[in-house]
Amino acid sequence: MTDTGDRSPAGRLSAFLATDPRDVGCAGAMEVLHVYVDYVAAGADTARFAGVVAHLRACGPCSDEFDGLLAAVSQDPWPDGPGSAP
Amino acid sequence: MAPADTDEHGEPVPARPRADSGQPPHGLDPDSREWLDALSSTGERHVRACTRLHGQLLRIAFKELHRRRGRHRITGPELDDLAHQAAGDALLAITRKIGGFRGESRFTTWAYKFVVFEVSTKLGRHFWRTEGVPLDAGGWEQLPDRLGMDPQRESEARELTDALRRAVDEVLTPHQRRVFVALVLDAVPLEALVAELDTNRNAIYKTMFDARRKLRARLEAQGHLDASARGRR
């Protein structure tokens, strides 16, 4: 749900029922989630991901997976490659 | 192998963008290339790469389960099992689909996506098996609080909730109503509902997307919501 900060009952219900025509849906967002996460982690321009951003605002489970993947790569910025096993 | 540090137009770009570079992460970085080569190889090198990747996936699986710990009650050996299953299934999917990796991200980001998905899916199935999915019409009383409505405006919240309830009964299809009740009123995790209905996340989301539009249109037509406010969002 898009949070506008408006806590009035009508404002909250309006935000809950809001739909964004740019929303690419779960499948569209998950298809490029790894690319979007790398852009976000790199601080790069994410303008081309407007449909993904719209979806993540509206879809809790996909937003949760974005958070999880971003946390995974952020905590593990440049993991060792396959040849560097101890 | 062709130089990877160019974008689709042949323009040179940084292969490993720094967080402050502001540059898009195009190009195949050396680590990703090494992962691809090792996982596409055979024999000992392939086995070593799989072992190494499995270890990283397992670590991410545990971290993800820990990050979501407020939303599940899985602990001990069951948690270990779930993490190992997620890592194992993710590794299998990665090795099967490695030909589909297009180098648009770092390899590890692409690979970690699989294990994050696996954890999410397994938690949803676990919820479905252990908690069940109560597909009834409970939870209307909690809706104002769940939506974050100001408790000082209780009568307005009740009036709107009643209007929404009537709209749910009158404009949604039985399937839309079932999905709405489960996700919104009963707070069933989406992945659990996916398991219950034997469908996929996108189909459920689309159902809710359409339901929201219908409900909003009804509430606007009845004057409960301001149609002109939509354009200002």
Side-chain angles (χ1 to χ4, degrees), chain B residues 85-98:
Chain B
Q85 284 172 24
D89 290 350
L91 179 63
L92 196 61
I94 290 163
T95 52
R96 276 186 189 152
K97 296 180 179 177
I98 197 162

Side-chain angles (χ1 to χ4, degrees), chain B residues 96-143:
Chain B
R96 276 186 189 152
K97 296 180 179 177
I98 197 162
F101 175 63
R102 299 192 294 262
E104 297 169 298
S105 71
R106 289 160 48 203
F107 172 79
T108 44
T109 309
W110 179 78
Y112 292 171
K113 184 171 79 166
F114 285 87
V115 76
V116 170
F117 284 2
E118 286 293 341
V119 167
S120 177
T121 302
K122 288 182 190 329
L123 283 177
R125 287 186 187 145
H126 182 272
F127 182 96
W128 177 56
R129 281 198 309 271
T130 58
E131 310 281 331
V133 175
L135 297 175
D136 56 34
W140 281 106
E141 296 75 19
Q142 286 82 41
L143 190 62

